[in-house]
């Protein structure tokens, strides 16, 4: 027998993260101390104030209105924003409900002429982006806004579906009236980069500006990319997030054709029920969520309100199926592990997960099983599903859920996952069922996954100087 096999079994201990390294490692290291003890240390977190990324502002458009505090208060109350669609006649569709935004208010943020012709995804983007800047103390036209070095300020707001209303209207015009009647704004308002472009024009940010479209993972991809622009020294401040407005006949019909939607028409408010045994599909939602992300150095120079710290993130692909998750969970579990390594976080430090949790038969349990591959002890972790109340906002979902995650960090309260009537036994997590819970967040992750197998995870924590 080999001599090493006769040694006593090593014991494991986890060393707290360090903040004294100039260049953080992206991999976990194992240090052999003796034959009987092995210390596992998480990689060090970023310490360079030029590369530490903080959140200084948030803006949104949601089924609960355009104010962040009111949005989170509604979530804490466990209020459902789901109801019957009245924007168009949905009576012949097998799904007749959604998280439809009503009485959207854009006054003071978009001029009347543009407001009338813009696609809703663009309107939501402009309002949420400008509100995020207001929240960060740099409202457009203010003295603080004038001080921003515009060539080092960027915009990265993505969308999964683009200007779907304008596209649909253009197709109808082509067939009903001919090509000469198509609006000259058809192409500009359909393409997915126009939200970032228009927002950049409105606020004067001349730095990195583009969009990412990775279906329902879009917003997290944008946060990840925006933070990397800051860490590479290409920008001091970024507006990042996602926007979506797909609750129109072709959008609803498309997801019906995918057999992805709940058909609980008799009780829409209980239709979105992540992890419940009787879930029957997701509920469409819409809106936008945008964060102001900036380097710690830049934020401190202007005495900005720091809401939380973005520690890191990761993106990858299942490389498996257009719509179904991998059964082995490898894509999601490796994405979570990579996000923690990039953030300098050990799994034991995470105690809150804002889950993707769409209320689909396969997706909910696939996510939970992947999470359990990373976090061996689930007793200290709270996990909740924002979509149980606002529906699945597609490319905007990660933006709206990041805001919920940061509000949880700031308030010490987690919103419930509503409609938890008969939870799957395999979940084994505290899903914050039906009633909010007080919980001091140490480190939080927010998951978003999209058609095509796109996986994304971002990591937030309370800001500590």
């Amino acid at each position: 027998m080999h001599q090493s096999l006769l040694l006593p079994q090593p014991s494991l201990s986890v060393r707290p993260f360090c903040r004294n390294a100039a260049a953080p490692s992206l991999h976990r290291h194992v240090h052999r101390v003796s034959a009987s003890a092995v210390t596992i240390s998480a990689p060090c977190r970023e310490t360079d104030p030029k590369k530490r990324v903080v959140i200084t502002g948030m803006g949104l458009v949601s089924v609960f209105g355009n104010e962040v505090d009111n949005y989170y208060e509604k979530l804490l109350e466990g209020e459902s924003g789901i109801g019957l669609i009245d924007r168009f006649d949905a009576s012949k569709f097998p799904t007749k409900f959604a998280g439809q935004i009503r009485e959207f208010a854009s006054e003071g943020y978009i001029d009347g002429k543009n407001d009338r012709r813009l696609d809703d995804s663009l309107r939501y983007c402009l309002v949420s982006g400008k509100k995020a800047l207001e929240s960060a103390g740099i409202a457009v036209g203010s003295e603080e806004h004038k001080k921003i070095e515009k060539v080092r300020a960027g915009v990265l707001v993505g969308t999964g579906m683009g200007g779907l209303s304008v596209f649909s209207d253009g197709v109808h015009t082509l067939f009903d009236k001919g090509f000469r009647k198509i609006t000259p704004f058809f192409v500009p308002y359909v393409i997915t980069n126009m939200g970032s472009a228009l927002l950049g024009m409105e606020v004067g940010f001349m730095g990195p500006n583009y969009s990412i479209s990775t279906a329902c993972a879009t917003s997290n991809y944008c946060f990840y990319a925006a933070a990397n622009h800051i860490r590479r020294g290409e920008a001091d401040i970024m507006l990042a997030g996602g926007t979506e407005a797909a609750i129109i006949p072709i959008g609803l019909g498309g997801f019906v054709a995918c057999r992805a939607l709940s058909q609980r028409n008799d009780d829409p408010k209980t239709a979105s029920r992540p992890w419940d045994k009787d879930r029957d599909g997701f509920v469409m939602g819409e809106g936008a969520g945008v964060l102001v992300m900036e380097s710690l150095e830049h934020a401190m120079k202007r005495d900005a309100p720091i809401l939380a710290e973005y520690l890191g993130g990761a993106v990858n692909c299942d490389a498996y199926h257009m719509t179904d998750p991998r059964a082995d969970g490898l894509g999601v579990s490796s994405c979570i592990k990579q996000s923690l390594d990039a953030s300098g976080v050990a799994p034991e430090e995470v105690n809150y997960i804002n889950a993707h949790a769409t209320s689909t038969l396969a997706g909910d349990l696939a996510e939970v099983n992947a999470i359990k591959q990373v976090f061996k002890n689930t007793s200290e972790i709270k996990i909740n599903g924002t979509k149980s109340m606002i529906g699945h906002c597609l490319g905007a979902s990660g933006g709206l859920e990041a805001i919920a995650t940061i509000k949880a960090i700031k308030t010490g309260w987690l919103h419930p996952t509503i409609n938890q009537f008969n939870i799957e036994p395999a979940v084994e997590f505290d899903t914050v069922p039906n009633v909010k819970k007080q919980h001091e967040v140490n480190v939080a992750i927010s998951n978003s996954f999209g058609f095509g197998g796109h996986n994304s995870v971002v990591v937030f924590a309370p800001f500590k100087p």
Side-chain angles (χ1 to χ4, degrees):
M1 183 177 291
H2 195 281
Q3 186 178 6
S4 64
L5 297 180
L6 300 175
L7 294 174
Q9 290 297 309
S11 61
L12 298 177
S13 62
V14 178
R15 191 176 71 187
F17 67 84
C18 59
R19 284 191 178 275
N20 57 358
S25 168
L26 296 183
H27 304 283
R28 186 170 291 108
H29 301 287
V30 178
H31 305 281
R32 189 169 300 279
V33 178
S34 69
S36 61
V38 176
T39 299
I40 298 176
S41 63
C44 298
R45 295 188 191 177
E46 184 61 76
T47 59
D48 185 346
K50 289 184 173 67
K51 295 182 179 180
R52 288 180 69 183
V53 177
V54 293
I55 310 304
T56 58
M58 303 188 291
L60 58 74
V61 172
S62 80
V63 70
F64 296 131
N66 303 348
E67 301 300 328
V68 168
D69 288 345
N70 184 66
Y71 164 76
Y72 199 62
E73 188 59 38
K74 295 288 188 183
L75 294 181
L76 289 178
E77 291 170 359
E79 183 172 326
S80 174
I82 310 304
L84 294 174
I85 294 169
D86 60 14
R87 181 176 294 161
F88 58 91
D89 182 5
S91 61
K92 294 182 180 179
F93 288 84
T95 295
K96 301 171 175 55
F97 57 90
Q100 175 190 317
I101 291 174
R102 294 171 172 82
E103 299 178 0
F104 169 67
S106 60
E107 292 83 1
Y109 296 94
I110 307 174
D111 70 76
K113 185 176 181 180
N114 280 325
D115 198 31
R116 288 189 294 273
R117 64 191 182 197
L118 287 173
D119 187 273
D120 279 347
S121 67
L122 298 176
R123 298 167 77 214
Y124 298 165
C125 174
L126 292 175
V127 171
S128 59
K130 290 182 179 181
K131 280 187 166 290
L133 287 180
E134 289 179 356
S135 168
I138 44 179
V140 178
S142 67
E143 289 302 313
E144 288 301 314
H145 179 261
K146 293 173 183 176
K147 295 175 184 178
I148 298 294
E149 188 177 356
K150 304 301 189 297
V151 294
R152 293 188 55 77
V155 182
L156 215 176
V157 179
T159 175
M161 307 290 280
L164 200 59
S165 291
V166 169
F167 184 84
S168 179
D169 291 345
V171 171
H172 282 297
T173 299
L174 174 64
F175 286 106
D176 293 344
K177 301 178 181 179
F179 74 91
R180 295 183 187 279
K181 295 297 184 179
I182 296 174
T183 172
F185 295 102
F186 174 77
V187 170
Y189 287 172
V190 165
I191 53 180
T192 60
N193 64 297
M194 195 52 64
S196 288
L198 289 178
L199 184 54
M201 295 173 203
E202 290 282 314
V203 305
F205 284 7
M206 299 171 63
N209 188 303
Y210 57 101
S211 67
I212 293 174
S213 184
T214 47
C216 308
T218 290
S219 290
N220 277 5
Y221 269 72
C222 290
F223 297 142
Y224 174 78
N228 287 340
H229 282 299
I230 293 170
R231 287 176 167 167
R232 290 196 299 261
E234 299 161 358
D236 298 320
I237 185 168
M238 295 286 297
L239 280 167
T243 185
E244 206 75 89
I247 303 176
I248 63 171
I250 190 63
L252 180 65
F255 282 111
V256 164
C258 289
R259 300 181 180 178
L261 299 182
S262 168
Q263 297 185 18
R264 201 176 296 274
N265 295 298
D266 58 335
D267 194 6
K269 291 187 180 300
T270 68
S272 186
R273 47 176 70 193
W275 307 303
D276 190 87
K277 284 184 177 180
D278 296 320
R279 66 195 182 280
D280 69 328
F282 76 79
V283 177
M284 288 184 72
E286 61 180 348
V290 175
L291 303 181
V292 178
M293 308 175 74
E294 57 185 303
S295 71
L296 176 59
E297 180 182 68
H298 188 265
M300 293 183 72
K301 279 182 179 178
R302 67 178 193 86
D303 196 25
I306 296 178
L307 306 175
E309 183 166 4
Y310 168 92
L311 297 181
V315 300
N316 72 6
C317 184
D318 275 354
Y320 171 70
H321 190 272
M322 285 195 300
T323 58
D324 291 343
R326 289 181 67 105
D328 61 6
L330 178 61
V332 171
S333 62
S334 61
C335 193
I336 294 172
K337 290 174 183 176
Q338 290 163 14
S339 74
L340 298 182
D341 281 348
S343 302
V345 169
E348 295 79 10
E349 295 180 79
V350 176
N351 67 346
Y352 170 47
I353 299 173
N354 188 294
H356 185 57
T358 60
S359 188
T360 58
L361 290 173
D364 286 9
L365 288 185
E367 179 181 12
V368 165
N369 291 335
I371 289 170
K372 287 194 287 188
Q373 292 177 32
V374 180
F375 304 100
K376 305 307 181 185
N377 179 10
T378 63
S379 63
E380 300 300 318
I381 297 176
K382 310 290 186 191
I383 180 170
N384 62 4
T386 307
K387 295 180 182 72
S388 64
M389 289 172 277
I390 66 173
H392 190 353
C393 300
L394 311 176
S397 61
L400 290 161
E401 288 160 11
I403 290 173
T405 303
I406 293 165
K407 287 296 288 183
I409 290 171
K410 288 294 291 180
T411 64
W413 285 93
L414 303 184
H415 73 66
T417 307
I418 66 169
N419 303 323
Q420 302 286 272
F421 305 116
N422 192 8
I423 300 175
E424 294 272 11
V427 173
E428 297 177 354
F429 284 92
D430 180 351
T431 63
V432 196
N434 303 315
V435 180
K436 67 181 180 181
K437 285 189 178 178
Q438 199 162 10
H439 184 64
E440 184 178 352
V441 177
N442 183 41
V443 176
I445 68 172
S446 180
N447 296 338
S448 287
F449 317 124
F451 280 4
H454 301 291
N455 303 312
S456 61
V457 181
V458 288
V459 185
F460 297 104
F463 170 67
K464 297 176 182 178

